[in-house]
Amino acid sequence: MITALLVMIFLAILLGLVLGYSAIKFKVDGDPMVARIDAILPQTQCGQCGYPGCKPYATAIAKGEADINQCPPGGDAGAKALAELMGMEFKPVNEKHGVQKPKSVALIDESTCIGCTLCIQACPVDAILGAAKQMHTIIASECTGCELCLPPCPVDCITMEPVLENSESWKWKYPIYNIQKAQKA
Amino acid sequence: MQLKNIFKFNGGVHPDENKIASTRLPIAKLAIPKKLVLPLRQHVGHVAKVKVKPGDQVFKGQIIAEADGNISAAIHAPTSGRILKISEEILPHPSGLPDFCITLEADFKDTWIEKKPIPWKKIEKTQLIETLSQSGIVGLGGAVFPTHMKLKTNQKQTIHTLVINAAECEPFITCDDMLMRERADEIIRGSLIAQTILGAEKCVIGIEDNKIEAYEALKKAAQKTTVEITVVPTLYPSGDAKRLIYLLMGIEVPKEKRSVDLGIQVFNVATVAAIYRYLEFGEPSISRIVTITGAVKTPQNYEVLFGTPLSELIKAAGGSSNKQKKFIMGGPMMGFDLPSIDVPVTKAMNCVIESSPELFPTPKPVMPCIRCARCADACPVNLQPQELYWFSKSSQLEKAREYNLFDCIECGCCTYVCPSNIPLVQFYRYAKSEIIAQDKSKEAANTARERNEFRLARLEREKKERAERHAQKALGAQDKQAEDDKKSTIAAAMERVKQNQQENIKN
Ligand code: SF4
Ligand code: SF4
Ligand code: SF4
Ligand code: SF4
């Protein structure tokens, strides 16, 4: 009887130590749910969801403060993925926040740019190169197409150019044909 | 010609061969065209870097675009002449989209740049591979992977067997067959060179048993050499590298692994012949053998300079005999419909078939999948095509990936046997390119996240620094105040002392 009790106590202490140790050793930084939601969000960082970026929106969803259909760049596909992750009912993107547009990148008309640096301050991913009073350029490969640089420009020299399909980014299309019903014997 | 020790793979089909028509005549040389259009993207990897500008005079064999990095291939002028322009032109690609090309106007003198044979036996290996990277040679079987990369070996990766792919299993295509019949010698010599460079102990040529003449020619050329020639039964797709390795050696290359991981390298016959011509005569890759067949008047194989307009080749073969004017590039199983005939002949173009209602009747109506699993029986990679079809059709892309979609070699055996006439491969192509695009945008999102986090961290840091500076200034101001106070006290004291002294003097 005593031995059994001792064994149990010993085991309890041992397991407690193991658990306590692993809780410290394998501690996950931050909220894993936020990271998983953030992984689905398109990282355009445009703020159309009503939050100052994708991560803050992800945090708000995780806390249950925001709905899952507020991200226009993610589109319905993104909302679907979020619904799946959160175990919620899918709903299409709320048009109040905007509509999904084809992927575009910003282009600065370099002859008009006055070098005011206002767009640099607005760009969430540092995709604009330039210095005071010098012409600015956008690194197209880093631009997320968030359009945040458009309003601050005092001379309206930035436009959004849709990214065209080239022979490298070209995709095979979904096959289209009619399926015929099997004939009855 | 006997079959020996063959390890048969699962599945495979026997489509009509349709090869005889284009083997009746020997390989002919197609005349130099007025204009040649050379795409910068003719190979797998980085686009070649342009080295000429409009107006430049170039010689035959001169590099006009050089390899950009390791996985890339140079492009040479196929004949002498003048560079006209560098512009976007339509490529022989299923997309029909334009891409950058160099246009060369021939001067019909066909003057070679000085040809430099390479004493490859004496050169150190890394240097030899460096030289080969200037040759412009890519896999001519259709994979167009830069060949010099495949000749690289290192301590971790040694090659024991070199397999030369002479199977040419796809219907209609006979360019390798004719090359073997007419230039077996070049192939054998090229194979021996590749074997030496790789340091492989063995070199085996695998050829299908429907190419008797080619086999005899190879056997004759290989006399007194160590090159083995093994005949494999005619069964599509025995020309797929992994299938051929299994047929010849009974070694199954596991998925996710490449054959080189198991010490086996595979080259196409035309590729080794090109290696031979480059090293022995200093002739870079400027032409290839192309089969033109199908509904054209005289199906034949032509040696065609890269950049030649396809319309010239069609004209040489007797023009198109029907109004439909549909052309397929590659074979009927794995090829695709050409967007136009105003495209240049490229390194990847092994065969062009003119379609006709007799040869390729309009596909029968598609019916629902009846789960007969005939596709699974025919699949040489042992996939479950009906499942892949289901997932691709419903765009459950992750599921399709889980079911090894990317192991599918798009051979078309499943489509060929499907009693419901479902164009299965089209679905796999769609699903694959969709997944690749999604992966790319995921990657882009990840960089955007990183850059955004970096920016936020930077802003945070700058804010802190600013705050610190302010604090410093405020502190500095206080110090100054204190110092000023002190100074003024001292000054006042001094003043008082002075006054006292003066008063004392007065007194
Ligand atoms: S709308 Fe979407 S892309 Fe834009 S910041 Fe919000 S979550 Fe990011
Ligand atoms: S350049 Fe403009 S559109 Fe592009 S990411 Fe920066 S702010 Fe957004
Ligand atoms: S062969 Fe066609 S009908 Fe039969 S299981 Fe495969 S896809 Fe379905
Ligand atoms: S196309 Fe793909 S799925 Fe169909 S038989 Fe070939 S390897 Fe198998």
Side-chain angles (χ1 to χ4, degrees):
Chain A
M1 176 63 193
I2 294 274
T3 3
L5 213 62
L6 282 178
V7 165
M8 292 313 279
I9 290 166
F10 173 72
L11 272 179
I13 291 169
L14 186 75
L15 289 176
L17 282 175
V18 168
L19 281 176
Y21 174 73
S22 20
I24 296 162
K25 171 93 193 190
F26 304 112
K27 187 169 164 12
V28 180
D29 284 330
D31 187 347
M33 202 56 200
V34 172
R36 282 170 72 187
I37 298 170
D38 195 39
I40 292 172
L41 296 176
Q43 306 301 321
T44 310
Q45 315 290 0
C46 61
Q48 290 179 84
C49 49
Y51 292 85
C54 302
K55 189 83 168 272
Y57 177 44
T59 318
I61 296 179
K63 281 199 199 133
E65 289 166 2
D67 216 338
I68 53 167
N69 62 344
Q70 302 185 358
C71 171
D76 288 348
K80 205 169 269 172
L82 284 175
E84 225 162 83
L85 177 68
M86 306 294 292
M88 285 156 88
E89 193 84 33
F90 160 74
K91 30 189 155 166
V93 172
N94 187 344
E95 281 182 16
K96 264 205 315 231
H97 291 273
V99 284
Q100 191 176 20
K101 291 185 203 161
K103 164 103 174 107
S104 304
V105 293
L107 183 75
I108 294 180
D109 175 5
E110 295 176 353
S111 57
T112 319
C113 171
I114 52 169
C116 67
T117 75
L118 288 175
C119 55
I120 296 193
Q121 291 165 37
C123 179
V125 289
D126 288 341
I128 306 179
L129 281 180
K133 302 223 178 89
Q134 254 152 42
M135 181 195 81
H136 289 29
T137 314
I138 289 168
I139 318 170
S141 60
E142 309 295 355
C143 171
T144 66
C146 69
E147 303 190 2
L148 290 181
C149 52
L150 302 189
C153 180
V155 289
D156 283 339
C157 72
I158 311 178
T159 47
M160 299 305 294
E161 299 292 324
V163 181
L164 294 179
E165 192 171 49
N166 61 23
S167 54
E168 205 177 2
S169 66
W170 176 83
K171 293 188 284 186
W172 285 95
K173 305 289 171 291
Y174 190 88
I176 297 172
Y177 54 82
N178 296 324
I179 288 192
Q180 207 185 37
K181 278 207 184 102
Q183 252 138 31
K184 286 200 184 99
Chain B
M1 189 166 187
Q2 87 265 25
L3 305 174
K4 58 157 208 221
N5 293 338
I6 290 303
F7 304 87
K8 203 193 153 306
F9 58 85
N10 292 332
V13 292
H14 282 287
D16 284 342
E17 286 178 23
N18 284 308
K19 285 182 188 255
I20 295 171
S22 56
T23 55
R24 290 201 188 103
L25 295 167
I27 301 172
K29 256 205 164 92
L30 192 67
I32 301 170
K34 273 201 220 97
K35 271 187 210 165
L36 298 98
V37 177
L38 296 138
L40 296 177
R41 192 195 301 277
Q42 294 190 48
H43 47 261
V44 173
H46 295 286
V47 176
K49 268 194 290 193
V50 181
K51 284 273 123 185
V52 288
K53 51 185 189 314
D56 283 2
Q57 196 69 34
V58 292
F59 292 112
K60 181 176 189 162
Q62 182 180 332
I63 289 191
I64 55 174
E66 71 177 3
D68 183 14
N70 266 337
I71 308 186
S72 182
I75 292 162
H76 302 73
T79 183
S80 58
R82 201 166 55 93
I83 303 294
L84 271 190
K85 56 179 176 180
I86 294 155
S87 55
E88 286 195 296
E89 309 286 338
I90 306 279
L91 298 196
H93 184 266
S95 68
L97 289 171
D99 205 345
F100 282 101
C101 299
I102 301 175
T103 306
L104 172 68
E105 185 185 42
D107 61 8
F108 298 101
K109 290 187 196 121
D110 212 23
T111 357
W112 270 98
I113 194 168
E114 192 199 340
K115 285 197 250 181
K116 289 198 202 89
I118 290 140
W120 59 275
K121 279 184 196 145
K122 293 190 202 104
I123 301 185
E124 198 252 328
K125 209 190 128 181
T126 40
Q127 207 194 329
L128 182 58
I129 285 170
E130 180 61 42
T131 323
L132 273 163
S133 71
Q134 317 256 306
S135 68
I137 302 175
V138 297
L140 294 175
V144 286
F145 188 80
T147 296
H148 66 276
M149 287 307 288
K150 287 176 74 180
L151 286 165
K152 258 188 190 167
T153 50
N154 53 36
Q155 259 89 42
K156 265 188 272 158
Q157 209 163 60
T158 53
I159 300 291
H160 56 75
T161 307
L162 169 64
V163 171
I164 304 294
N165 190 342
E168 199 171 58
C169 58
E170 174 116 19
F172 284 97
I173 310 177
T174 56
C175 56
D176 286 352
D177 185 359
M178 294 309 288
L179 184 81
M180 288 186 274
R181 293 189 200 186
E182 297 186 18
R183 302 179 196 171
D185 208 40
E186 289 181 11
I187 293 168
I188 299 294
R189 285 178 198 222
S191 308
L192 289 168
I193 293 173
Q195 183 186 2
T196 319
I197 298 176
L198 285 168
E201 293 141 37
K202 247 177 83 172
C203 174
V204 198
I205 301 182
I207 182 168
E208 271 191 347
D209 64 3
N210 59 358
K211 292 184 250 307
I212 299 166
E213 281 181 50
Y215 168 75
E216 297 294 341
L218 282 180
K219 208 171 80 176
K220 206 163 131 231
Q223 263 170 4
K224 300 199 197 93
T225 71
T226 50
V227 178
E228 271 175 49
I229 303 169
T230 306
V231 179
V232 300
T234 301
L235 176 66
Y236 180 84
S238 65
D240 171 59
K242 287 187 178 178
R243 271 7 85 193
L244 189 65
I245 289 171
Y246 188 74
L247 280 166
L248 297 174
M249 308 166 72
I251 294 174
E252 198 151 347
V253 183
K255 56 175 224 157
E256 282 133 30
K257 275 206 175 171
R258 293 166 311 152
S259 63
V260 278
D261 300 331
L262 303 182
I264 305 162
Q265 185 59 278
V266 185
F267 280 111
N268 166 272
V269 277
T271 314
V272 287
I275 295 174
Y276 166 75
R277 295 204 69 82
Y278 181 68
L279 296 179
E280 209 66 30
F281 305 109
E283 288 176 15
S285 178
I286 54 167
S287 67
R288 68 160 300 143
I289 316 281
V290 186
T291 309
I292 171 93
T293 183
V296 291
K297 225 173 266 160
T298 35
Q300 194 178 356
N301 279 279
Y302 283 91
E303 180 159 5
V304 189
L305 294 177
F306 297 135
T308 305
L310 176 60
S311 48
E312 297 283 323
L313 180 63
I314 294 167
K315 217 194 291 163
S320 63
S321 45
N322 58 28
K323 285 182 232 88
Q324 204 189 359
K325 295 237 189 249
K326 251 182 73 189
F327 289 85
I328 298 167
M329 173 167 151
M333 301 292 282
M334 295 182 73
F336 58 88
D337 291 342
L338 278 169
S340 142
I341 60 164
D342 293 317
V343 294
V345 170
T346 59
K347 295 181 180 177
M349 197 181 278
N350 50 0
C351 177
V352 175
I353 308 169
E354 173 157 12
S355 173
S356 73
E358 297 80 54
L359 285 171
F360 301 96
T362 31
K364 284 188 226 118
V366 175
M367 288 186 286
C369 169
I370 51 169
R371 303 233 145 211
C372 64
R374 265 189 238 178
C375 50
D377 292 338
C379 178
V381 191
N382 301 324
L383 299 174
Q384 296 291 325
Q386 75 280 22
E387 304 285 348
L388 290 177
Y389 161 64
W390 178 252
F391 295 134
S392 306
K393 188 173 179 246
S394 51
S395 295
Q396 299 184 49
L397 300 175
E398 272 319 301
K399 270 288 213 236
R401 197 202 303 250
E402 246 171 67
Y403 273 71
N404 302 321
L405 174 67
F406 280 91
D407 287 354
C408 163
I409 55 172
E410 296 175 26
C411 65
C413 291
C414 48
T415 309
Y416 184 78
V417 297
C418 177
S420 293
N421 312 309
I422 303 172
L424 295 162
V425 179
Q426 286 186 31
F427 281 97
Y428 308 150
R429 283 175 171 167
Y430 150 75
K432 279 185 188 178
S433 63
E434 200 58 40
I435 292 176
I436 291 170
Q438 281 186 5
D439 284 358
K440 267 198 198 142
S441 69
K442 262 262 126 76
E443 222 170 88
N446 287 341
T447 20
R449 181 184 298 116
E450 263 167 42
R451 289 183 76 97
N452 180 246
E453 273 164 12
F454 182 80
R455 177 187 155 87
L456 293 178
R458 197 197 71 211
L459 290 182
E460 191 61 30
R461 198 185 60 223
E462 281 174 3
K463 207 162 105 193
K464 229 200 248 153
E465 276 171 6
R466 222 174 303 133
E468 260 165 36
R469 265 205 307 274
H470 278 304
Q472 207 97 55
K473 257 202 201 136
L475 213 69
Q478 249 175 30
D479 281 358
K480 207 154 164 240
Q481 190 65 44
E483 217 162 88
D484 285 353
D485 285 353
K486 232 192 249 162
K487 265 195 196 144
S488 56
T489 335
I490 294 172
M494 294 280 273
E495 199 68 10
R496 256 180 284 135
V497 170
K498 251 193 205 156
Q499 258 175 14
N500 279 349
Q501 274 175 352
Q502 269 169 4
E503 268 167 35
N504 282 349
I505 293 169
K506 274 187 197 159
N507 290 341

